[in-house]
Structures are given as structure tokens and as C-alpha cells.
Amino acid sequence: MTCPLNSPFRIAPNPSRSSPFRIIHRNPLSRDSLQSVLLFKSLNIFHYSVSAPRLSSVTVRSQTKMQEKSISDKRMLVFVPPHPLIKHWVSVLRNEETPSPVFKNAMAELGRLLIYEASRDWLPTITGEIQSPMGPASVEFIDPREPIAVIPILRAGLALAEHAPSVLPAMKTYHLGVSRDEETLQPSVYLNKLPEKFPQGSRVFVVDPMLATGGTIVAAINLIKERGVDNNHIKVVSAVAAPPALQKLNENFPGLHVYTGIIDPTVNDKGFILPGLGDAGDRSFGT
């Protein structure tokens, strides 16, 4: 796999053909990006290898199974899937000329792809046998008995999570509204539709398009954890992430997995990611 000539990332050689990930390094090391480079290294940022084999597992008929992971549960991992459609939709979102309806659609398509990647080898399945028109067939379905929750952070998260039901056949949506003070950049919860307690074993996708300063996503995950969900049962899905947010997540939630369309180098004094894509909520809904 190759990178564009103007890409800020260099893909390092894969040290093991059996590894399903490749490490991303920042290149070149300018003074402005040095802090980001050190952070990326400390956060163990990985890049999917398209040709890598899937992790193997053993399944038992009519029993729920989960793929075994070889990566430690004690460190936060950030995944940037290299799919060309993800790059395409991120580019559409970045363009200041993109009109609101197209922007919202691009956000929804990006969310569909990222949720697909985040659910890889993570969803519980059940196996059995059915009758096809041509004869008996062994089958494998997502187990509807196992709880899967999608939590969009309002309001921009609504656009990124719009197509989640097309990817996750058995899911519930819980809405969480968090606003950020423009002066202090501190989060404030204005709508909380989370259950008092999540069912045991729940797998939760937290959908927040912009991981900038990290205040909003940290507040959201704390509310989820208070309701009985462990770090390794939470996955964060975002369009764009920046080092300050990743640093806070890394410090507070070991074992968390973050899936993002791209990682940008910095955040300005108003809490916006640079170069980012502007205010995702305003651009999605035109208000």
C-alpha cells in the first residue's frame, strides 16, 4: 500500500506478516508536529493492513462467540482504517464549499464505514443450520440476545450515526446531549437518555465526530461507565481526532479503542481542530 506524495504519514514496514495492523509514524518531524509525534507513539496508533489475515477463533454451534484479541487490554488503541472511501468522505467534509445536505450525507457515509470497521471481530454471533432453497446450509448470525448500544453525542453525532442501523442488525440508540462552553471549553450535559444501568455484557459505540480537546468525550464515557460498562466494552467512533483528546482518553480509559477517519495535528485556542472541518453540527444541519 502506498501513500500520496503530500501525505503527512509514513507507513512503516510490517514487522510480522501475521499482525493485522501497521504502525503509523509522523513524517517529517517539524517543530510544530513533534509533540504530536511523541503522543502518537505513546498511544500505539495502528493502521489496518488490507492483506492481513483475520484473527482465528473457535466457534461452537448455537453458542455466542467472540474473537480472541492478541492486543493488550491495558493500553488505548487508535485505529485509522486506510479504506479509500474513508479518505474520500473525509475530503468531502473538509471542503468549505461542500453544501450542508452533501456534508450531512458524507458524515453519514463515513460513519457507516467506521462503524463497520469498529464492529469487526467484536460482535457476538450465533451459529446454526437453516434450509436454503437448494438444501441445508450452515449459517452465522449476529446474536440478538447480546445488547449493542449506539450513543451519538448531540447534535453532530446524529449525522455520523445515521446509518448505524444498516450495519448493526440488533442495536439500541441512546441519545446524549453535551454542549461546550465557548469560553472555558468545559462540557455541560443538557440531555441524558442513557439507561440507569446497561445490561451486563453490553457493547457500546460512542459516536462523536470531533475529538478535539477531549472534554465532551471524556464526560460522555464517564457517564457510560457509571452505568456499568467497562472500558474494553466501549468503542469510540469519530470523523476527526486531535492529540489533546487522544491524550485525555489515554490517561482516563486504558483498554479503550478509538476509530477515526483521520488524525489532525493540533487544536486552536477556541477548541477547533486544525485543519479539521469546521463546526460539524452547524455544517450538518445548516444552523
Side-chain angles (χ1 to χ4, degrees):
M1 181 175 178
T2 60
C3 287
L5 293 178
N6 60 350
S7 170
F9 297 109
R10 174 176 59 84
I11 308 228
N14 195 352
S16 170
R17 296 185 65 87
S18 62
S19 172
F21 307 110
R22 290 182 179 175
I23 300 174
I24 294 178
H25 297 286
R26 186 85 179 183
N27 186 36
L29 299 180
S30 66
R31 285 185 299 175
D32 292 338
S33 64
L34 180 58
Q35 183 177 1
S36 299
V37 177
L38 297 176
L39 175 61
F40 293 166
K41 288 182 178 180
S42 71
L43 292 182
N44 299 301
I45 297 175
F46 290 92
H47 199 295
Y48 277 120
S49 172
V50 176
S51 60
R54 292 173 63 118
L55 298 177
S56 62
S57 67
V58 177
T59 62
V60 179
R61 182 182 296 253
S62 299
Q63 289 189 5
T64 301
K65 62 93 177 173
M66 283 293 295
Q67 295 256 359
E68 291 292 329
K69 292 185 181 294
S70 60
I71 301 173
S72 171
D73 290 336
K74 295 183 179 180
R75 49 182 180 162
M76 191 186 86
L77 302 177
V78 182
F79 300 92
V80 184
H83 199 294
L85 284 174
I86 289 178
K87 297 175 183 178
H88 168 80
W89 292 120
V90 168
S91 299
V92 173
L93 293 170
R94 283 205 194 277
N95 187 354
E96 67 176 359
E97 301 297 329
T98 299
S100 179
V102 177
F103 184 94
K104 185 173 181 288
N105 179 71
M107 187 70 78
E109 292 297 334
L110 177 62
R112 187 206 307 268
L113 293 166
L114 290 172
I115 290 171
Y116 171 84
E117 292 289 354
S119 62
R120 184 191 299 269
D121 299 333
W122 201 55
L123 300 179
T125 60
I126 187 168
T127 60
E129 187 173 278
I130 63 171
Q131 184 72 26
S132 84
M134 303 304 293
S138 296
V139 293
E140 187 171 356
F141 295 101
I142 301 298
D143 191 342
R145 301 168 299 179
E146 296 292 329
I148 299 171
V150 173
I151 303 175
I153 308 300
L154 307 187
R155 64 181 168 157
L158 291 172
L160 193 62
E162 182 173 335
H163 292 328
S166 70
V167 180
L168 305 171
M171 56 161 277
K172 291 184 177 181
T173 301
Y174 300 94
H175 296 97
L176 186 61
V178 184
S179 61
R180 187 176 67 176
D181 187 283
E182 294 183 1
E183 297 295 329
T184 66
L185 303 183
Q186 294 302 306
S188 176
V189 177
Y190 65 87
L191 177 70
N192 184 348
K193 291 296 185 178
L194 302 180
E196 291 189 8
K197 197 78 172 178
F198 282 95
Q200 185 176 3
S202 292
R203 292 164 179 83
V204 178
F205 295 88
V206 187
V207 182
D208 187 5
M210 310 302 291
L211 302 183
T213 63
T216 296
I217 190 65
V218 168
I221 294 177
N222 279 330
L223 288 173
I224 294 166
K225 286 177 59 66
E226 289 172 4
R227 289 158 172 79
V229 183
D230 295 331
N231 293 348
N232 58 4
H233 277 192
I234 300 172
K235 290 194 175 184
V236 175
V237 176
S238 74
V240 184
L246 296 178
Q247 182 67 60
K248 283 185 181 179
L249 290 172
N250 186 49
E251 293 170 353
N252 287 277
F253 309 112
L256 185 71
H257 287 188
V258 177
Y259 288 76
T260 186
I262 197 166
I263 300 172
D264 278 351
T266 189
V267 174
N268 66 15
D269 57 1
K270 294 184 178 180
F272 282 89
I273 299 175
L274 299 178
L277 46 84
D279 189 309
D282 289 354
R283 296 191 68 194
S284 290
F285 299 100
T287 59

